[in-house]
């Protein structure tokens, strides 16, 4: 059962959701309230993009840094 594609997909979804929740908490702690439009963009990121953002957020000082990252760096993964 653990090797089945459906099981793996469910596992990946849970893993991605956990990363997303952690990243959202980290961004909120670092930058304060994140605007809804930026939150929506973050929810669309892949697991690899979430990993990259989790490293990049250490350099952010405000939400405009986050918005800039989403506009430029996230496109590198597409």
């Amino acid at each position: 059962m653990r090797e089945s594609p459906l099981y793996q997909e469910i596992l990946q979804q849970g893993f991605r959701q956990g990363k997303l929740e952690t990243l959202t908490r980290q961004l909120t702690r670092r930058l304060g309230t994140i605007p809804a439009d930026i939150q929506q963009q973050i929810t669309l990121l892949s697991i690899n993009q979430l990993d990259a953002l989790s490293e990049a957020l250490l350099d952010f000082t405000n939400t405009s840094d986050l918005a800039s990252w989403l506009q430029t760096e996230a496109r590198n993964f597409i």
Side-chain angles (χ1 to χ4, degrees):
M1 180 173 156
R2 290 183 183 204
E3 289 80 29
S4 76
L6 179 59
Y7 179 84
Q8 291 300 316
E9 182 180 337
I10 292 168
L11 193 63
Q12 280 294 97
Q13 288 175 355
F15 184 65
R16 184 186 174 287
Q17 186 63 33
K19 282 182 177 268
L20 182 58
E21 289 171 7
T22 299
L23 182 57
T24 300
R25 284 194 313 272
Q26 291 171 331
L27 285 167
T28 301
R29 181 168 178 154
R30 179 128 183 119
L31 305 175
T33 302
I34 306 299
D37 61 322
I38 293 178
Q39 287 180 10
Q40 178 62 29
Q41 291 176 45
I42 293 168
T43 64
L44 300 175
L45 298 176
S46 69
I47 289 176
N48 290 336
Q49 290 171 313
L50 293 173
D51 286 340
L53 180 54
S54 70
E55 292 179 19
L57 77 85
L58 298 173
D59 297 324
F60 297 164
T61 57
N62 54 52
T63 55
S64 65
D65 293 337
L66 172 57
S68 292
W69 186 92
L70 288 167
Q71 288 178 354
T72 58
E73 296 299 319
R75 282 185 261 167
N76 291 334
F77 287 93
I78 297 173

